[in-house]
């Protein structure tokens, strides 16, 4: 199985994404998991530290 998880910004979004990824890997060890985020938020540090690949995109908040 291949899974993409998109999360960015704060730990309130990233940590649940990592928890879901960990549970998937626990159940299906061969699963490939890719995270999508930005290079500005906490994801640039937290996701690689958790052992997952992070691909970054340009995304901006519009107010």
């Amino acid at each position: 199985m291949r899974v993409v998880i998109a999360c960015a910004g704060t730990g309130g979004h990233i940590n649940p994404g990592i928890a879901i990824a960990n549970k998937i890997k626990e159940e299906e060890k061969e699963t490939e998991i890719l995270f999508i985020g930005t290079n500005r938020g906490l994801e640039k540090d937290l996701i690689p530290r958790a052992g997952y690949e992070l691909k970054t995109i340009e995304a901006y908040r519009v107010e």
Side-chain angles (χ1 to χ4, degrees), residues 3 14-15 18 23-24 28-29 37 40 43 49 58 63:
V3 175
I14 300 160
N15 289 324
I18 291 171
K23 183 63 176 175
I24 291 169
E28 298 285 335
K29 301 214 184 310
R40 294 185 314 278
E43 64 272 21
R49 191 180 320 156
E58 292 296 320
E63 295 184 28

Side-chain angles (χ1 to χ4, degrees), residues 5-17:
I5 299 174
C7 55
T10 68
H13 295 110
I14 300 160
N15 289 324

